[in-house]
Amino acid sequence: MKISTALVFFSLGAASAFGLQPSSPKAVLSSSSRSPFAGKNNNALVQPIGIDGQRLGGNTFALKSDASGSDGAIQQRGGALSGIDIPLLIYFLLWYVGNYFYNITNKLALNAAGGAGGYPMTISSLQLGVGCLYGIFLWIAPDARSSPSITLDDIIKMLPVAFCFMGSHCASVFAMSAGSVSFAQIVKAAEPAFAAVLAQFVYKKKISKAKWACLPVVIGGVILASVKELDFAFSALFSACLANLFAAFKGNENKKLMESDGIKERLGSVGNQFAVTSILGFLMSVPVLIAKEGSKFSEFVTIFKTNPAVSFNLIASGLYFYGYNELATMTLKKTGAVTQSVANTAKRVIVIVGVALVLGESLDPIKLLGCAIGIGGVFLYSIIDSIVKT
């Protein structure tokens, strides 16, 4: 199965990206003698990244090297690819692949379990649970990742972020269960509109007039894309908007969290922060699962055991979700604002068009036009302040 092969490929790549350390010194020595770079500084190509975005371990290769590091790396590598940051490209590739296959496997699991009338809350909660198991595995596996040294007070401070993370994920899954993946992604592209409103009126952070001027373009694109949406459902629209609201709150709460004294050092790395957030989010999702779908959970267990389309795609989507989110965080911390905007814009386009083709969703010209306008407006919103001085 193509998805099975892709899952193995992504898992191997993700394991490296999440900071697995090199093998034993003996193995490194034996391999280095055969390496064309023998005698040079052969540190790990990709190393774990701290909360501040800096690598833990002083490698020659960085996701986005500083000037001196880049010069040295270029002199070592040489050739036509000397100016290309290969590790960063690998991170982008794994992020995009993970996001793409998450959307496919998530939709397949939802459809196989009954769609909107099935078990969207159960599936979204268990996806978080699968990611938690992988995060814990990295803490207990030899030479993988050091566990955080957080306190009870740190955990309490992380609860708002974890709750918003859980809410955003569950609402997104509900949106994709009620409508097409492409429609849910188009609506989710309007997240900057929610972020701007919250920042201005709740968190009292000034949003420039230029940014406000971009929001009608974003909203207009979403409306235009909805006009020709064959699978349009108000429940999908509402759930996607709710996901945007939770995501906007999460972004602001995360900024407040990172201002707490010493929490960056106690968490240790981006991977640890995401793992702890995932665990707390999963625990918060369990009561919601019980309240909404607890009465038919035994039925879901039977479906999970007897229907491979549900069990495989649920586990795969959980791993993809955890993997691409952590990779996205690690990648974006090592790039500039414009690069982040381009990356997120490209990701939306790839997912919307690619998933629609694979799952046979509608790609009406009006829908594509609305998608282009909306995503273009998001990109403009992201870079407008660097273009227009207000």
Side-chain angles (χ1 to χ4, degrees):
M1 179 182 260
K2 292 183 179 179
I3 293 182
S4 301
T5 305
L7 177 60
V8 174
F9 168 77
F10 178 67
S11 299
L12 291 174
S16 171
F18 294 161
L20 297 183
Q21 301 301 322
S23 355
S24 64
K26 192 175 293 183
V28 173
L29 286 174
S30 62
S31 63
S32 64
S33 62
R34 300 189 300 270
S35 171
F37 298 101
K40 297 184 180 180
N41 183 12
N42 289 331
N43 291 327
L45 184 63
V46 181
Q47 291 191 353
I49 297 174
I51 296 296
D52 57 357
Q54 301 302 314
R55 290 169 297 115
L56 304 177
N59 196 344
T60 301
F61 296 95
L63 293 180
K64 187 175 182 182
S65 307
D66 57 26
S68 59
S70 295
D71 292 342
I74 291 173
Q75 289 176 5
Q76 287 184 21
R77 284 175 280 181
L81 299 179
S82 60
I84 299 177
D85 196 338
I86 301 300
L88 181 60
L89 292 180
I90 293 173
Y91 268 46
F92 272 116
L93 173 64
L94 293 175
W95 169 24
Y96 283 15
V97 169
N99 188 281
Y100 174 77
F101 279 105
Y102 161 72
N103 280 278
I104 292 177
T105 52
N106 177 56
K107 185 63 174 179
L108 291 175
L110 290 167
N111 287 345
Y119 309 88
M121 185 62 216
T122 301
I123 289 175
S124 62
S125 179
L126 292 181
Q127 285 170 342
L128 295 179
V130 170
C132 291
L133 292 177
Y134 182 68
I136 294 172
F137 164 76
L138 289 182
W139 285 336
I140 63 178
D143 300 322
R145 174 187 289 163
S146 299
S147 58
S149 56
I150 53 176
T151 64
L152 179 60
D153 186 54
D154 292 333
I155 293 176
I156 293 174
K157 290 180 180 178
M158 293 182 73
L159 291 178
V161 176
F163 177 77
C164 293
F165 167 74
M166 179 273 295
S168 176
H169 172 63
C170 294
S172 297
V173 173
F174 270 96
M176 284 185 269
S177 71
S180 67
V181 174
S182 55
F183 176 67
Q185 289 291 336
I186 292 171
V187 177
K188 286 180 66 180
E191 182 186 325
F194 294 81
V197 172
L198 286 178
Q200 182 81 46
F201 299 106
V202 177
Y203 293 93
K204 306 302 181 183
K205 296 179 180 178
K206 188 177 184 301
I207 302 297
S208 67
K209 294 179 180 179
K211 282 184 177 290
W212 282 113
C214 294
L215 295 183
V217 180
V218 177
I219 297 171
V222 172
I223 294 174
L224 184 61
S226 304
V227 171
K228 290 291 185 178
E229 175 56 44
L230 299 179
D231 296 323
F232 179 81
F234 281 106
S235 56
L237 177 62
F238 175 78
S239 297
C241 290
L242 186 62
N244 285 341
L245 187 63
F246 274 119
F249 269 115
K250 175 180 172 287
N252 284 283
E253 289 297 326
N254 191 62
K255 290 179 182 178
K256 289 172 58 179
L257 174 67
M258 290 298 103
E259 293 172 357
S260 302
D261 291 337
I263 196 167
K264 292 181 181 179
E265 293 71 24
R266 290 189 291 273
L267 283 169
S269 68
V270 170
N272 283 343
Q273 181 189 4
F274 187 72
V276 174
T277 302
S278 295
I279 292 172
L280 294 175
F282 168 68
L283 295 176
M284 290 179 178
S285 72
V286 173
V288 183
L289 185 160
I290 295 173
K292 183 165 179 55
E293 298 173 3
S295 60
K296 54 182 183 178
F297 186 75
S298 59
E299 299 172 14
F300 176 81
V301 172
T302 302
I303 295 175
F304 183 87
K305 290 179 178 179
T306 58
N307 191 341
V310 174
S311 56
F312 172 81
N313 286 300
L314 191 155
I315 295 172
S317 61
L319 290 173
Y320 283 131
F321 178 77
Y322 187 96
Y324 94 76
N325 271 287
E326 187 170 336
L327 278 165
T329 304
M330 295 162 70
T331 303
L332 295 180
K333 276 184 175 289
K334 299 302 296 183
T335 57
V338 175
T339 304
Q340 292 178 21
S341 302
V342 174
N344 277 307
T345 302
K347 181 204 71 175
R348 294 281 185 197
V349 174
I350 292 171
V351 169
I352 290 171
V353 177
V355 173
L357 291 174
V358 171
L359 298 179
E361 297 177 354
S362 66
L363 285 174
D364 185 90
I366 298 297
K367 179 178 178 179
L368 289 177
L369 178 61
C371 173
I373 294 174
I375 293 178
V378 172
F379 176 68
L380 184 62
Y381 175 92
S382 303
I383 65 172
I384 191 66
D385 282 346
S386 62
I387 300 175
V388 180
K389 301 298 181 182
T390 56

